[in-house]
């Protein structure tokens, strides 16, 4: 997820992505508020003439409602209950997503599809606590475990490498459930 800023109570979603079983979901959302300068520097999103740009190139956007409804349709295409995973989900992604879903009256429908979420940040800390890794950022973990770099602030790339990391780690169900939270 790419957002207009860093405050979970105020920021809006600009890009929402998911990857599962070789299928990608990616949508750009018309910004509902100004993009914070620091967020723009990280994720590459700007607005010019009312149009959302990614690294200076226009992207096709949808309204927040259209984007979230299509995200729900994507999630419904998988066996239920769906378990979402995100890095730092507990502190950022989940609060933002829940807030915007509630704002447009889709939270109940979302909870009918998605049961819980896994936060891969504490998962990495739990799995590798004896290795004394210098960082548990996605970027570091991707470099360390997968020996590659990627566009760390592109939501679809984040989803792809997170799935790859998760599969590489192959955590036990006990490890997964220890960092699983209910929406």
């Amino acid at each position: 997820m790419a957002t207009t800023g860093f405050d979970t109570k105020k920021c809006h979603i600009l890009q929402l992505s998911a990857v599962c079983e070789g299928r990608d979901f990616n949508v750009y959302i018309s910004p509902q508020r100004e993009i914070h300068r620091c967020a723009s520097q990280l994720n590459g999103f700007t607005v010019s003439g009312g149009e959302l740009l990614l690294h200076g190139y226009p992207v096709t956007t949808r309204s927040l409602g259209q984007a979230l409804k299509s995200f729900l349709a994507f999630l419904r295409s998988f066996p239920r209950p769906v378990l979402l995973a995100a890095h730092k989900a507990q502190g950022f992604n989940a609060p933002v997503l829940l807030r915007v879903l509630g704002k447009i009256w889709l939270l109940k429908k979302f909870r009918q599809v998605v049961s819980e979420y896994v936060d891969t940040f504490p998962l990495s800390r739990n799995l590798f606590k004896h290795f004394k890794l210098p960082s548990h950022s996605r970027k570091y973990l991707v470099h360390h475990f997968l020996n590659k770099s990627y566009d760390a602030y592109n939501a679809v790339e984040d989803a792809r490498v997170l799935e790859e990391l998760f599969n590489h780690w192959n955590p036990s169900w006990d490890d997964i459930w220890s960092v699983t939270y209910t929406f």
Side-chain angles (χ1 to χ4, degrees):
M1 176 182 332
T3 62
T4 59
F6 310 105
D7 184 342
T8 59
K9 294 179 178 145
K10 296 179 182 177
C11 70
H12 287 233
I13 300 171
L14 296 171
Q15 183 185 16
L16 184 61
S17 302
V19 175
C20 185
E21 300 173 357
R23 294 172 38 212
D24 292 3
F25 173 86
N26 185 52
V27 64
Y28 299 101
I29 301 167
S30 304
Q32 301 297 307
R33 66 175 37 235
E34 187 176 325
I35 301 171
H36 190 281
R37 180 182 48 81
C38 293
S40 182
Q41 289 172 347
L42 288 174
N43 61 33
F45 285 105
T46 56
V47 175
S48 179
E51 193 170 38
L52 183 64
L53 308 175
L54 178 56
H55 302 294
Y57 296 97
V59 292
T60 303
T61 60
R62 293 186 184 177
S63 71
L64 180 63
Q66 291 170 331
L68 291 173
K69 286 175 185 174
S70 63
F71 183 53
L72 279 172
F74 174 77
L75 295 174
R76 281 189 191 107
S77 70
F78 296 99
R80 291 188 200 154
V82 171
L83 182 67
L84 293 181
H87 207 66
K88 296 195 177 181
Q90 179 81 353
F92 190 77
N93 297 53
V96 172
L97 187 57
L98 291 174
R99 180 177 51 79
V100 298
L101 285 162
K103 180 180 175 181
I104 60 169
W105 302 96
L106 287 176
L107 186 54
K108 183 177 179 181
K109 289 181 180 184
F110 178 78
R111 286 184 168 147
Q112 292 169 347
V113 178
V114 178
S115 60
E116 296 154 319
Y117 62 93
V118 175
D119 192 330
T120 57
F121 181 74
L123 177 64
S124 70
R125 294 180 75 158
N126 292 348
L127 290 174
F128 307 108
K129 60 185 164 202
H130 302 298
F131 292 101
K132 308 270 190 237
L133 296 176
S135 174
H136 290 274
S137 71
R138 278 184 313 261
K139 195 170 186 173
Y140 177 80
L141 294 169
V142 167
H143 176 71
H144 181 79
F145 289 104
L146 304 177
N147 198 30
K148 66 182 189 179
S149 59
Y150 76 107
D151 185 0
Y153 293 97
N154 179 296
V156 74
E157 288 302 310
D158 275 346
R160 285 181 185 138
V161 298
L162 197 59
E163 180 182 48
E164 198 174 338
L165 271 175
F166 192 84
N167 291 335
H168 178 81
W169 294 341
N170 193 24
S172 71
W173 276 107
D174 286 341
D175 289 325
I176 295 167
W177 288 117
S178 72
V179 294
T180 299
Y181 307 92
T182 302
F183 272 110

